[in-house]
């Protein structure tokens, strides 16, 4: 069965924007931002691990987008 795309929530969009716009943030840094702006109780381990998983998924998606853009630019320059 193909994986269905994750629902694009406010928090997911926020995480992706942090990953795109900052040089590099660790998972802990991003969690601190979530705690500050969205009042997510990161100090609870289950919540931390849940968001850790979401952050890694978002990071992969953003990196895939970057690779696609690089390929697109490379092909447009050559072709």
């Amino acid at each position: 069965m193909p994986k269905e795309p994750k629902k694009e929530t406010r928090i997911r969009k926020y995480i992706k924007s942090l990953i795109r716009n900052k040089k590099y943030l660790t998972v802990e840094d991003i969690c601190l931002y979530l705690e500050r702006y969205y009042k997510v109780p990161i100090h609870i381990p289950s919540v931390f691990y849940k968001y850790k998983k979401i952050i890694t998924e978002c990071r992969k998606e953003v990196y895939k987008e970057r690779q696609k853009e690089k390929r697109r630019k490379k092909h447009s320059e050559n072709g």
Side-chain angles (χ1 to χ4, degrees):
M1 286 177 116
K3 280 188 177 178
E4 58 188 49
K6 298 289 181 184
K7 191 173 180 184
E8 198 67 20
T9 60
R10 262 189 356 216
I11 291 184
R12 280 179 152 290
K13 286 180 183 176
Y14 179 67
I15 292 170
K16 284 183 180 182
S17 71
L18 285 175
I19 294 169
R20 280 188 198 107
N21 298 330
K22 305 287 183 186
K23 191 67 175 172
Y24 180 80
L25 291 175
T26 62
V27 173
E28 289 81 10
D29 294 335
I30 294 172
C31 285
L32 289 173
Y33 277 109
L34 292 177
E35 194 171 30
R36 184 183 302 157
Y37 295 115
Y38 287 100
K39 309 292 189 255
V40 178
I42 295 298
H43 58 278
I44 301 171
S46 61
V47 175
F48 174 78
Y49 288 112
K50 175 186 173 190
Y51 280 97
K52 185 176 178 181
K53 182 180 175 194
I54 291 173
I55 290 168
T56 54
E57 289 171 358
C58 289
R59 202 181 294 276
K60 284 180 184 177
E61 290 174 25
V62 169
Y63 289 171
K64 273 187 184 177
E65 290 170 11
R66 284 186 191 165
Q67 287 301 315
K68 282 183 182 178
E69 270 191 35
K70 282 184 181 178
R71 282 190 211 115
R72 196 175 299 131
K73 283 183 181 179
K74 196 174 187 180
H75 286 301
S76 65
E77 288 173 2
N78 293 338

